[in-house]
Amino acid sequence: MMCIRPIQSHDWDALWALAQKTGPGFTSLQPNEAAVRRKLEWALASFAATEPLEEALYLFVLDDSSNDQIVGLCGIESAVGLREPWYNYRLGTLVHASRELRVYNPMNTLTLSNDHTGSSEICTLFLDPDYRHSKNGSLLSKSRFMFMAEYPQRFTKNVIAEMRGCSNDAGVSPFWEGLGRHFFSIDFAQADQLSGQNKVFIAELMPRNPIYTNLLPKDARDVIGCTHDDTTPARRLLEREGFRYTGYIDIFDGGPLLETRVQDIRAVRESRYCKVALAERVGSGNPYLIANTRLEGFRCCLSTLIIEGNHIVTLTAETASVLGVDAGDTVRIVALA
């Protein structure tokens, strides 16, 4: 059975193995050993803190209990941009007009922005290619909303998600080649790795004035706000949960930033508490996300169940064992949708 749980110190080898598979453009988990170790230590400290950290990272792994293998990773940052600047491009419009000349030209622009400073961010979603089936991706992504629903005080009202932008198999980003390279004079993959470690160089080198998109090459314009093929399913999943693209993009690959309010996320809004009852079988039916109510011992899985009235949910002994709950305990449930 597949189960989501907080990352632990003994997961280092599995975390490092996943970092080798992410590829160019996956900024939050690059194969840089020092950076990955910092991420692990940050996550461990965030879960262990007696009081919520101002900038916490809650990192979760997808554990295949049939072979005790870690096959996926996902995370939530409580607030971004409080210690280091958080940058995006904001898409806007400037109108150049002359009544005398009968000219009216609206121009699309990109302006460097820190508008999402302080927002919570869902991040670092990666699933081993061999496990991209059987709704594993949905469990990996949506389990975070069950945690946010249980611990809303640890997050801000607004939540964002940066989607990986377009790049080819060689790791070349059309948006970067058409814009970023002119100011940084380095390859996209190198800039992407640097941004995951230190964003100060962005402020030092990026232009502060609006950039007219019609001056960019066509292939760069065409990928503004577009997602990488591998990331498109994740974007659709988030949009079904209530996330929306509002005209902000990544400054390196042009990928879209999605956003919503935590309380407007479907899984948060519709989830509810139930008491556990046990049975040998629960039959078939629509799958539900089921999570316990612990912090460091958080568990979330995907299973069918039986709902009796409004407050009793019947689980199999296997599901209850994976969640670490027993008859009479409280769990949070929501339909997968």
Side-chain angles (χ1 to χ4, degrees):
M1 192 171 191
M2 310 303 293
C3 178
I4 296 289
R5 62 167 174 81
I7 199 166
Q8 299 172 3
S9 57
H10 63 256
D11 294 323
W12 163 255
D13 288 341
L15 177 62
W16 180 241
L18 289 175
Q20 312 299 309
K21 299 180 180 181
T22 56
F26 199 95
T27 308
S28 59
L29 190 66
Q30 290 289 314
N32 178 298
E33 184 171 351
V36 176
R37 285 196 181 277
R38 284 196 299 270
K39 183 176 290 288
L40 176 59
E41 292 168 359
W42 183 15
L44 295 175
S46 298
F47 280 111
T50 54
E51 294 292 332
L53 303 180
E54 185 179 38
E55 287 187 275
L57 170 64
Y58 301 100
L59 207 57
F60 305 90
V61 296
L62 180 61
D63 192 342
D64 184 348
S65 61
S66 67
N67 56 18
D68 199 29
Q69 184 176 350
I70 303 303
V71 299
L73 187 74
C74 64
I76 319 169
E77 288 194 34
S78 62
V80 299
L82 300 185
R83 286 182 295 181
E84 292 184 352
W86 177 268
Y87 294 102
N88 290 110
Y89 277 134
R90 181 179 65 249
L91 274 71
T93 303
L94 287 177
V95 175
H96 293 253
S98 171
R99 180 175 298 177
E100 290 77 12
L101 298 178
R102 297 182 180 179
V103 172
Y104 184 90
N105 287 328
M107 299 287 185
N108 293 327
T109 61
L110 298 174
T111 305
L112 204 61
S113 162
N114 307 117
D115 289 349
H116 293 92
T117 297
S119 296
S120 295
E121 182 195 16
I122 57 170
C123 58
T124 321
L125 179 74
F126 183 77
L127 181 60
D128 188 297
D130 292 339
Y131 280 79
R132 293 175 184 174
H133 58 78
S134 306
K135 302 188 185 299
N136 289 332
S138 293
L139 169 60
L140 187 63
S141 179
K142 296 186 180 186
S143 62
R144 296 175 292 189
F145 305 144
M146 300 293 273
F147 187 82
M148 297 177 84
E150 189 64 35
Y151 298 101
Q153 70 278 10
R154 292 177 177 266
F155 306 100
T156 59
K157 294 181 179 179
N158 297 316
V159 58
I160 61 176
E162 283 195 316
M163 299 284 98
R164 183 178 176 185
C166 294
S167 60
N168 62 22
D169 293 340
V172 176
S173 162
F175 184 79
W176 175 262
E177 294 300 319
L179 177 56
R181 179 179 287 279
H182 295 291
F183 299 95
F184 289 83
S185 302
I186 55 177
D187 291 335
F188 168 68
Q190 185 181 358
D192 195 49
Q193 289 183 7
L194 287 172
S195 72
Q197 302 169 43
N198 187 344
K199 293 182 172 61
V200 174
F201 76 99
I202 299 174
E204 294 174 340
L205 297 177
M206 289 304 289
R208 289 291 179 176
N209 296 321
I211 297 168
Y212 289 85
T213 60
N214 64 320
L215 299 179
L216 301 178
K218 183 179 184 303
D219 59 348
R221 297 197 305 270
D222 288 345
V223 298
I224 291 175
C226 295
T227 57
H228 192 283
D229 288 343
D230 290 346
T231 307
T232 298
R235 176 177 182 173
R236 290 172 179 164
L237 184 152
L238 292 179
E239 288 174 335
R240 289 196 296 271
E241 288 292 324
F243 283 76
R244 293 292 179 265
Y245 171 55
T246 58
Y248 291 84
I249 64 170
D250 183 80
I251 67 171
F252 293 124
D253 60 20
L257 180 143
L258 308 184
E259 59 183 305
T260 188
R261 296 189 304 171
V262 173
Q263 67 185 47
D264 292 335
I265 299 172
R266 183 207 62 90
V268 173
R269 188 179 66 250
E270 297 182 4
S271 66
R272 56 193 172 101
Y273 289 128
C274 289
K275 293 292 186 180
V276 173
L278 299 179
E280 290 186 5
R281 299 178 182 176
V282 297
S284 59
N286 295 326
Y288 275 72
L289 289 164
I290 314 167
N292 66 21
T293 58
R294 304 187 191 107
L295 180 62
E296 290 187 81
F298 179 79
R299 299 290 186 275
C300 183
C301 67
L302 191 61
S303 177
T304 55
L305 46 76
I306 297 174
I307 300 176
E308 303 175 26
N310 291 323
H311 304 294
I312 304 295
V313 60
T314 302
L315 311 176
T316 64
E318 179 189 11
T319 300
S321 176
V322 167
L323 292 171
V325 298
D326 207 339
D329 288 344
T330 299
V331 293
R332 182 183 291 274
I333 69 168
V334 72
L336 182 62

